[in-house]
Amino acid sequence: MARSFADFGNALYTGEKSINFIGKRRLWYAVSVVLILLSIIGPLARGGFTFGIEFTGGSQFQVHLTEGQDRDPAVAQKAVESVLPQSAPRVTLVGPTDLRVQTEALTDADNRAVTAALVEQYDVSADEVTYSFIGPAWGQDITKQAVIALFVFLIFAALVMALYFRTWKMSLAAIIALLHDLVITAGIYGASGFEITPAAMIGFLTILGYSLYDTVVVFDKIRENTLPGQLSERQTFGEAVNLGVNQTLVRSINTSIVALLPVGSILFIGAFVLGAGTLRDISLALFIGILVGAYSTIFIASPVYAHLRESDEDIKRHDAKALKLRGEEPAATAVADEPASPATSAS
């Protein structure tokens, strides 16, 4: 199995086999448009994103139970509703023994009444129920700083890539893929009803680095294939870009799997073993983001770059010359649906 996968990778690298990522780009664009629309409609259909108490402010109660004691969330909801009939508390299990109850901001009298109700319903001592109040200012400040950091990162990343690759079109394609990843990751998160917490925000921002890293590696190979003197006279620009994507495909798959394994382990441990909300939130955002980032690097970033370059006059002249040498009629687009194999078309 490993040998056949290695042979498959070698065949892709040499051009013996080729997957037509660039020629079928309209299909990938359509898939991404559908995913983006679902990422926007999904959270809206659920009434918007669910923000954690760190962003909205409120009261939080933590009930410490003994191992094996019933932690039915319905009991906590009943206790809160006995004091606040209109309240809609969020109850989550924390670790193997604890239970967390979050409500809107309460008065001191309501806090004491809810604490007493939880003590009575779970039959624990008053010391086993702790209370804290979280104001919305901290979350608002973190959100503001995160938005500023996102814009600064995008500007600097775009400038550095434009200088490194010596073309702003590669930089633009990478930023488009990056925004694509952020929107879909946030959309899946919101549509699934997961709470947006500071840990999830950290996960979203971490995705930026992974997505760009994977894209830059693929773009580096594409640049190598399309440098003056490297681009074959019988190969169109789109075919050279497609070859670069195929040559780095196995590497992209391996890198994504290697990145997903530890993140998946952290997600499993955080969600099912320790019940640690912070670990679960950050690893869930990373897990979704890595999957989406791997997709966008192959199916969005490279096709968008080829799309941006196909209208350049030098590219048009080169593609027309390549097609003429191959005895083919110049097509409306230089990126054929079935690019010729470089192994057979190279001059």
Side-chain angles (χ1 to χ4, degrees), residues 11-61:
L12 289 176
Y13 194 89
T14 59
E16 181 185 346
K17 291 184 179 178
S18 177
I19 301 173
N20 193 5
F21 295 107
I22 305 302
K24 291 185 168 60
R25 65 192 179 199
R26 287 180 176 79
L27 173 62
W28 319 136
Y29 293 167
V31 171
S32 288
V33 168
V34 171
L35 290 176
I36 289 172
L37 288 177
L38 290 175
S39 300
I40 295 171
I41 295 171
L44 291 177
R46 292 183 59 91
F49 288 97
T50 304
F51 289 97
I53 194 172
E54 295 86 354
F55 295 99
T56 60
S59 298
Q60 178 170 293
F61 303 86

Short mmCIF file of all heavy atoms in Angstrom, two decimals, residues 11-61:
data_model
loop_
_atom_site.label_atom_id
_atom_site.label_comp_id
_atom_site.label_asym_id
_atom_site.label_seq_id
_atom_site.Cartn_x
_atom_site.Cartn_y
_atom_site.Cartn_z
N ALA A 11 4.85 9.08 -10.00
CA ALA A 11 4.22 9.26 -11.31
C ALA A 11 3.66 10.67 -11.45
O ALA A 11 3.75 11.29 -12.52
CB ALA A 11 3.12 8.23 -11.50
N LEU A 12 3.12 11.21 -10.37
CA LEU A 12 2.61 12.59 -10.40
C LEU A 12 3.76 13.57 -10.56
O LEU A 12 3.65 14.58 -11.27
CB LEU A 12 1.84 12.90 -9.12
CG LEU A 12 0.48 12.22 -8.93
CD1 LEU A 12 -0.10 12.57 -7.56
CD2 LEU A 12 -0.51 12.66 -10.02
N TYR A 13 4.87 13.30 -9.90
CA TYR A 13 6.00 14.23 -9.93
C TYR A 13 6.64 14.30 -11.32
O TYR A 13 7.01 15.37 -11.81
CB TYR A 13 7.05 13.83 -8.90
CG TYR A 13 8.06 14.91 -8.64
CD1 TYR A 13 7.83 15.88 -7.67
CD2 TYR A 13 9.24 15.00 -9.39
CE1 TYR A 13 8.73 16.90 -7.43
CE2 TYR A 13 10.15 16.02 -9.16
CZ TYR A 13 9.88 16.96 -8.19
OH TYR A 13 10.77 17.98 -7.97
N THR A 14 6.77 13.15 -11.94
CA THR A 14 7.41 13.13 -13.26
C THR A 14 6.45 13.52 -14.38
O THR A 14 6.88 13.78 -15.51
CB THR A 14 7.95 11.72 -13.56
OG1 THR A 14 6.86 10.79 -13.53
CG2 THR A 14 8.99 11.31 -12.55
N GLY A 15 5.16 13.57 -14.08
CA GLY A 15 4.19 13.91 -15.13
C GLY A 15 3.63 12.70 -15.84
O GLY A 15 2.82 12.84 -16.75
N GLU A 16 4.07 11.49 -15.39
CA GLU A 16 3.54 10.27 -16.01
C GLU A 16 2.03 10.19 -15.79
O GLU A 16 1.29 9.74 -16.66
CB GLU A 16 4.24 9.05 -15.40
CG GLU A 16 3.78 7.72 -15.97
CD GLU A 16 4.44 6.56 -15.24
OE1 GLU A 16 5.43 6.79 -14.52
OE2 GLU A 16 3.96 5.43 -15.40
N LYS A 17 1.61 10.61 -14.61
CA LYS A 17 0.18 10.74 -14.33
C LYS A 17 -0.10 12.18 -13.96
O LYS A 17 0.77 12.88 -13.43
CB LYS A 17 -0.22 9.81 -13.16
CG LYS A 17 -0.16 8.34 -13.50
CD LYS A 17 -0.65 7.50 -12.34
CE LYS A 17 -0.59 6.02 -12.70
NZ LYS A 17 -1.03 5.16 -11.57
N SER A 18 -1.33 12.61 -14.25
CA SER A 18 -1.66 14.00 -13.94
C SER A 18 -3.14 14.11 -13.59
O SER A 18 -4.00 13.54 -14.26
CB SER A 18 -1.35 14.89 -15.15
OG SER A 18 -1.72 16.23 -14.89
N ILE A 19 -3.40 14.81 -12.50
CA ILE A 19 -4.79 15.13 -12.13
C ILE A 19 -5.06 16.57 -12.56
O ILE A 19 -4.28 17.47 -12.25
CB ILE A 19 -4.99 14.98 -10.61
CG1 ILE A 19 -4.66 13.55 -10.17
CG2 ILE A 19 -6.43 15.33 -10.22
CD1 ILE A 19 -4.68 13.34 -8.68
N ASN A 20 -6.12 16.77 -13.28
CA ASN A 20 -6.36 18.07 -13.91
C ASN A 20 -7.03 19.05 -12.95
O ASN A 20 -8.22 19.31 -13.03
CB ASN A 20 -7.23 17.88 -15.16
CG ASN A 20 -7.24 19.13 -16.02
OD1 ASN A 20 -6.53 20.09 -15.74
ND2 ASN A 20 -8.04 19.11 -17.07
N PHE A 21 -6.24 19.60 -12.03
CA PHE A 21 -6.78 20.56 -11.07
C PHE A 21 -7.10 21.90 -11.74
O PHE A 21 -8.09 22.54 -11.41
CB PHE A 21 -5.77 20.79 -9.94
CG PHE A 21 -5.51 19.57 -9.11
CD1 PHE A 21 -4.32 18.88 -9.21
CD2 PHE A 21 -6.47 19.10 -8.22
CE1 PHE A 21 -4.08 17.75 -8.45
CE2 PHE A 21 -6.23 17.97 -7.45
CZ PHE A 21 -5.04 17.30 -7.58
N ILE A 22 -6.25 22.34 -12.64
CA ILE A 22 -6.43 23.67 -13.23
C ILE A 22 -7.54 23.66 -14.28
O ILE A 22 -8.37 24.57 -14.33
CB ILE A 22 -5.11 24.15 -13.87
CG1 ILE A 22 -3.98 24.10 -12.82
CG2 ILE A 22 -5.27 25.57 -14.41
CD1 ILE A 22 -4.22 24.91 -11.59
N GLY A 23 -7.58 22.63 -15.11
CA GLY A 23 -8.58 22.60 -16.17
C GLY A 23 -10.00 22.51 -15.65
O GLY A 23 -10.94 22.98 -16.30
N LYS A 24 -10.16 21.91 -14.47
CA LYS A 24 -11.50 21.76 -13.88
C LYS A 24 -11.75 22.80 -12.79
O LYS A 24 -12.54 22.58 -11.87
CB LYS A 24 -11.67 20.35 -13.31
CG LYS A 24 -11.73 19.25 -14.36
CD LYS A 24 -12.00 17.90 -13.74
CE LYS A 24 -12.36 16.86 -14.79
NZ LYS A 24 -11.31 16.63 -15.78
N ARG A 25 -11.08 23.93 -12.92
CA ARG A 25 -11.16 24.92 -11.84
C ARG A 25 -12.56 25.45 -11.62
O ARG A 25 -12.93 25.80 -10.50
CB ARG A 25 -10.22 26.08 -12.14
CG ARG A 25 -10.58 26.87 -13.37
CD ARG A 25 -9.47 27.79 -13.77
NE ARG A 25 -9.81 28.53 -14.97
CZ ARG A 25 -8.92 29.12 -15.74
NH1 ARG A 25 -7.64 29.03 -15.43
NH2 ARG A 25 -9.29 29.78 -16.81
N ARG A 26 -13.38 25.55 -12.68
CA ARG A 26 -14.74 26.06 -12.49
C ARG A 26 -15.56 25.15 -11.59
O ARG A 26 -16.43 25.59 -10.86
CB ARG A 26 -15.42 26.26 -13.85
CG ARG A 26 -14.86 27.45 -14.62
CD ARG A 26 -15.52 27.66 -15.96
NE ARG A 26 -15.03 28.87 -16.63
CZ ARG A 26 -13.88 28.94 -17.29
NH1 ARG A 26 -13.11 27.88 -17.38
NH2 ARG A 26 -13.48 30.06 -17.84
N LEU A 27 -15.27 23.85 -11.66
CA LEU A 27 -15.95 22.91 -10.76
C LEU A 27 -15.56 23.19 -9.31
O LEU A 27 -16.41 23.24 -8.42
CB LEU A 27 -15.57 21.47 -11.15
CG LEU A 27 -16.08 20.37 -10.20
CD1 LEU A 27 -17.60 20.35 -10.16
CD2 LEU A 27 -15.55 19.01 -10.64
N TRP A 28 -14.23 23.40 -9.08
CA TRP A 28 -13.78 23.68 -7.70
C TRP A 28 -14.34 25.01 -7.21
O TRP A 28 -14.70 25.14 -6.05
CB TRP A 28 -12.24 23.70 -7.62
CG TRP A 28 -11.53 22.65 -8.41
CD1 TRP A 28 -10.42 22.82 -9.19
CD2 TRP A 28 -11.83 21.25 -8.49
NE1 TRP A 28 -10.04 21.64 -9.76
CE2 TRP A 28 -10.89 20.65 -9.36
CE3 TRP A 28 -12.83 20.44 -7.94
CZ2 TRP A 28 -10.90 19.30 -9.67
CZ3 TRP A 28 -12.84 19.08 -8.25
CH2 TRP A 28 -11.89 18.53 -9.09
N TYR A 29 -14.40 26.01 -8.13
CA TYR A 29 -14.97 27.30 -7.73
C TYR A 29 -16.43 27.11 -7.29
O TYR A 29 -16.88 27.69 -6.29
CB TYR A 29 -14.95 28.29 -8.89
CG TYR A 29 -13.57 28.74 -9.33
CD1 TYR A 29 -13.39 29.43 -10.53
CD2 TYR A 29 -12.45 28.49 -8.56
CE1 TYR A 29 -12.13 29.85 -10.94
CE2 TYR A 29 -11.18 28.90 -8.97
CZ TYR A 29 -11.04 29.57 -10.16
OH TYR A 29 -9.79 29.99 -10.57
N ALA A 30 -17.17 26.31 -8.07
CA ALA A 30 -18.59 26.09 -7.75
C ALA A 30 -18.75 25.41 -6.39
O ALA A 30 -19.62 25.79 -5.59
CB ALA A 30 -19.26 25.25 -8.85
N VAL A 31 -17.88 24.43 -6.13
CA VAL A 31 -17.93 23.74 -4.83
C VAL A 31 -17.67 24.73 -3.69
O VAL A 31 -18.37 24.74 -2.68
CB VAL A 31 -16.90 22.59 -4.79
CG1 VAL A 31 -16.78 22.00 -3.39
CG2 VAL A 31 -17.29 21.49 -5.78
N SER A 32 -16.67 25.60 -3.89
CA SER A 32 -16.33 26.56 -2.84
C SER A 32 -17.43 27.59 -2.65
O SER A 32 -17.71 28.00 -1.52
CB SER A 32 -15.01 27.26 -3.18
OG SER A 32 -13.94 26.37 -3.01
N VAL A 33 -18.05 28.02 -3.75
CA VAL A 33 -19.15 28.99 -3.62
C VAL A 33 -20.29 28.37 -2.81
O VAL A 33 -20.87 29.02 -1.93
CB VAL A 33 -19.65 29.43 -5.02
CG1 VAL A 33 -20.97 30.18 -4.91
CG2 VAL A 33 -18.61 30.31 -5.69
N VAL A 34 -20.60 27.11 -3.09
CA VAL A 34 -21.66 26.43 -2.33
C VAL A 34 -21.28 26.33 -0.85
O VAL A 34 -22.10 26.61 0.04
CB VAL A 34 -21.92 25.02 -2.92
CG1 VAL A 34 -22.85 24.22 -2.01
CG2 VAL A 34 -22.52 25.13 -4.31
N LEU A 35 -20.01 25.96 -0.59
CA LEU A 35 -19.57 25.84 0.81
C LEU A 35 -19.63 27.19 1.52
O LEU A 35 -20.02 27.27 2.69
CB LEU A 35 -18.14 25.29 0.85
CG LEU A 35 -17.97 23.82 0.45
CD1 LEU A 35 -16.49 23.44 0.43
CD2 LEU A 35 -18.73 22.91 1.41
N ILE A 36 -19.23 28.26 0.82
CA ILE A 36 -19.25 29.59 1.44
C ILE A 36 -20.69 30.03 1.72
O ILE A 36 -20.99 30.58 2.79
CB ILE A 36 -18.52 30.60 0.53
CG1 ILE A 36 -17.01 30.33 0.56
CG2 ILE A 36 -18.79 32.03 0.99
CD1 ILE A 36 -16.21 31.13 -0.42
N LEU A 37 -21.59 29.77 0.76
CA LEU A 37 -22.99 30.13 0.97
C LEU A 37 -23.57 29.37 2.17
O LEU A 37 -24.28 29.94 3.01
CB LEU A 37 -23.81 29.84 -0.29
CG LEU A 37 -23.57 30.79 -1.47
CD1 LEU A 37 -24.37 30.35 -2.69
CD2 LEU A 37 -23.96 32.23 -1.09
N LEU A 38 -23.25 28.07 2.24
CA LEU A 38 -23.72 27.28 3.38
C LEU A 38 -23.11 27.78 4.69
O LEU A 38 -23.77 27.76 5.74
CB LEU A 38 -23.37 25.80 3.19
CG LEU A 38 -24.13 25.07 2.08
CD1 LEU A 38 -23.61 23.65 1.91
CD2 LEU A 38 -25.63 25.04 2.39
N SER A 39 -21.86 28.25 4.60
CA SER A 39 -21.19 28.77 5.80
C SER A 39 -21.81 30.08 6.27
O SER A 39 -21.71 30.43 7.46
CB SER A 39 -19.69 28.99 5.52
OG SER A 39 -19.08 27.78 5.15
N ILE A 40 -22.43 30.80 5.37
CA ILE A 40 -23.11 32.05 5.75
C ILE A 40 -24.55 31.76 6.19
O ILE A 40 -25.03 32.27 7.21
CB ILE A 40 -23.10 33.04 4.56
CG1 ILE A 40 -21.65 33.45 4.25
CG2 ILE A 40 -23.94 34.27 4.87
CD1 ILE A 40 -21.51 34.26 2.97
N ILE A 41 -25.24 30.92 5.41
CA ILE A 41 -26.65 30.64 5.69
C ILE A 41 -26.80 29.78 6.95
O ILE A 41 -27.71 30.00 7.75
CB ILE A 41 -27.30 29.92 4.48
CG1 ILE A 41 -27.31 30.87 3.28
CG2 ILE A 41 -28.71 29.47 4.82
CD1 ILE A 41 -27.74 30.19 1.99
N GLY A 42 -25.88 28.81 7.15
CA GLY A 42 -25.99 27.90 8.28
C GLY A 42 -26.06 28.61 9.63
O GLY A 42 -27.03 28.42 10.39
N PRO A 43 -25.07 29.46 9.95
CA PRO A 43 -25.15 30.17 11.24
C PRO A 43 -26.37 31.09 11.33
O PRO A 43 -26.97 31.22 12.40
CB PRO A 43 -23.84 30.97 11.27
CG PRO A 43 -22.92 30.21 10.38
CD PRO A 43 -23.79 29.67 9.28
N LEU A 44 -26.74 31.74 10.19
CA LEU A 44 -27.91 32.63 10.21
C LEU A 44 -29.17 31.84 10.52
O LEU A 44 -30.05 32.32 11.26
CB LEU A 44 -28.05 33.35 8.87
CG LEU A 44 -26.97 34.40 8.54
CD1 LEU A 44 -27.18 34.98 7.14
CD2 LEU A 44 -26.98 35.52 9.58
N ALA A 45 -29.28 30.63 9.96
CA ALA A 45 -30.47 29.81 10.20
C ALA A 45 -30.58 29.39 11.66
O ALA A 45 -31.69 29.13 12.15
CB ALA A 45 -30.42 28.57 9.30
N ARG A 46 -29.45 29.34 12.35
CA ARG A 46 -29.47 28.99 13.77
C ARG A 46 -29.60 30.21 14.66
O ARG A 46 -29.50 30.11 15.89
CB ARG A 46 -28.18 28.24 14.14
CG ARG A 46 -28.05 26.87 13.51
CD ARG A 46 -26.77 26.21 14.01
NE ARG A 46 -26.81 26.08 15.47
CZ ARG A 46 -27.28 25.03 16.11
NH1 ARG A 46 -27.74 24.00 15.42
NH2 ARG A 46 -27.30 24.98 17.41
N GLY A 47 -29.78 31.40 14.04
CA GLY A 47 -29.93 32.62 14.82
C GLY A 47 -28.62 33.33 15.09
O GLY A 47 -28.54 34.17 15.99
N GLY A 48 -27.58 33.00 14.31
CA GLY A 48 -26.29 33.66 14.47
C GLY A 48 -25.32 32.79 15.26
O GLY A 48 -25.64 31.69 15.68
N PHE A 49 -24.12 33.31 15.42
CA PHE A 49 -23.08 32.58 16.15
C PHE A 49 -23.41 32.57 17.64
O PHE A 49 -24.02 33.52 18.17
CB PHE A 49 -21.71 33.23 15.94
CG PHE A 49 -21.15 33.01 14.56
CD1 PHE A 49 -21.30 33.99 13.58
CD2 PHE A 49 -20.50 31.83 14.24
CE1 PHE A 49 -20.80 33.80 12.30
CE2 PHE A 49 -19.99 31.63 12.96
CZ PHE A 49 -20.15 32.60 11.99
N THR A 50 -23.00 31.51 18.29
CA THR A 50 -23.16 31.41 19.74
C THR A 50 -21.86 31.81 20.40
O THR A 50 -20.87 31.08 20.33
CB THR A 50 -23.52 29.96 20.14
OG1 THR A 50 -24.69 29.55 19.44
CG2 THR A 50 -23.77 29.86 21.63
N PHE A 51 -21.87 32.99 20.99
CA PHE A 51 -20.64 33.49 21.63
C PHE A 51 -20.59 33.05 23.09
O PHE A 51 -21.62 32.98 23.76
CB PHE A 51 -20.56 35.01 21.53
CG PHE A 51 -20.28 35.49 20.14
CD1 PHE A 51 -21.32 35.90 19.31
CD2 PHE A 51 -18.98 35.51 19.65
CE1 PHE A 51 -21.07 36.33 18.02
CE2 PHE A 51 -18.73 35.94 18.35
CZ PHE A 51 -19.77 36.35 17.53
N GLY A 52 -19.40 32.76 23.55
CA GLY A 52 -19.21 32.35 24.93
C GLY A 52 -19.45 33.48 25.90
O GLY A 52 -19.53 34.66 25.53
N ILE A 53 -19.52 33.12 27.15
CA ILE A 53 -19.80 34.10 28.19
C ILE A 53 -18.68 35.14 28.29
O ILE A 53 -18.89 36.26 28.75
CB ILE A 53 -19.98 33.38 29.55
CG1 ILE A 53 -20.61 34.29 30.58
CG2 ILE A 53 -18.68 32.82 30.06
CD1 ILE A 53 -20.98 33.56 31.86
N GLU A 54 -17.49 34.78 27.80
CA GLU A 54 -16.37 35.73 27.83
C GLU A 54 -16.63 36.93 26.94
O GLU A 54 -16.06 38.01 27.15
CB GLU A 54 -15.07 35.04 27.38
CG GLU A 54 -14.59 33.93 28.31
CD GLU A 54 -15.24 32.59 27.98
OE1 GLU A 54 -16.15 32.59 27.12
OE2 GLU A 54 -14.87 31.58 28.58
N PHE A 55 -17.46 36.75 25.91
CA PHE A 55 -17.76 37.85 24.98
C PHE A 55 -19.07 38.56 25.34
O PHE A 55 -19.24 39.73 25.04
CB PHE A 55 -17.87 37.30 23.55
CG PHE A 55 -16.59 36.76 23.02
CD1 PHE A 55 -16.34 35.40 23.03
CD2 PHE A 55 -15.60 37.59 22.54
CE1 PHE A 55 -15.15 34.87 22.57
CE2 PHE A 55 -14.40 37.08 22.08
CZ PHE A 55 -14.17 35.72 22.09
N THR A 56 -20.00 37.84 25.95
CA THR A 56 -21.31 38.43 26.23
C THR A 56 -21.44 38.89 27.68
O THR A 56 -22.28 39.73 27.99
CB THR A 56 -22.42 37.41 25.94
OG1 THR A 56 -22.22 36.26 26.78
CG2 THR A 56 -22.40 36.98 24.48
N GLY A 57 -20.60 38.33 28.55
CA GLY A 57 -20.72 38.62 29.98
C GLY A 57 -21.84 37.78 30.59
O GLY A 57 -22.76 37.35 29.90
N GLY A 58 -21.77 37.55 31.89
CA GLY A 58 -22.81 36.78 32.56
C GLY A 58 -22.30 36.14 33.84
O GLY A 58 -21.18 36.41 34.29
N SER A 59 -23.15 35.30 34.40
CA SER A 59 -22.81 34.61 35.64
C SER A 59 -22.49 33.15 35.34
O SER A 59 -23.11 32.54 34.45
CB SER A 59 -23.97 34.69 36.63
OG SER A 59 -24.23 36.05 36.97
N GLN A 60 -21.54 32.61 36.07
CA GLN A 60 -21.14 31.23 35.84
C GLN A 60 -21.06 30.48 37.17
O GLN A 60 -20.47 30.97 38.13
CB GLN A 60 -19.78 31.18 35.14
CG GLN A 60 -19.25 29.77 34.90
CD GLN A 60 -18.03 29.77 34.00
OE1 GLN A 60 -18.13 30.10 32.82
NE2 GLN A 60 -16.88 29.42 34.54
N PHE A 61 -21.67 29.32 37.18
CA PHE A 61 -21.66 28.48 38.39
C PHE A 61 -20.97 27.16 38.05
O PHE A 61 -21.19 26.60 36.98
CB PHE A 61 -23.09 28.20 38.86
CG PHE A 61 -23.90 29.45 39.13
CD1 PHE A 61 -24.57 30.09 38.09
CD2 PHE A 61 -23.95 29.99 40.41
CE1 PHE A 61 -25.30 31.24 38.33
CE2 PHE A 61 -24.69 31.14 40.65
CZ PHE A 61 -25.36 31.78 39.60
#
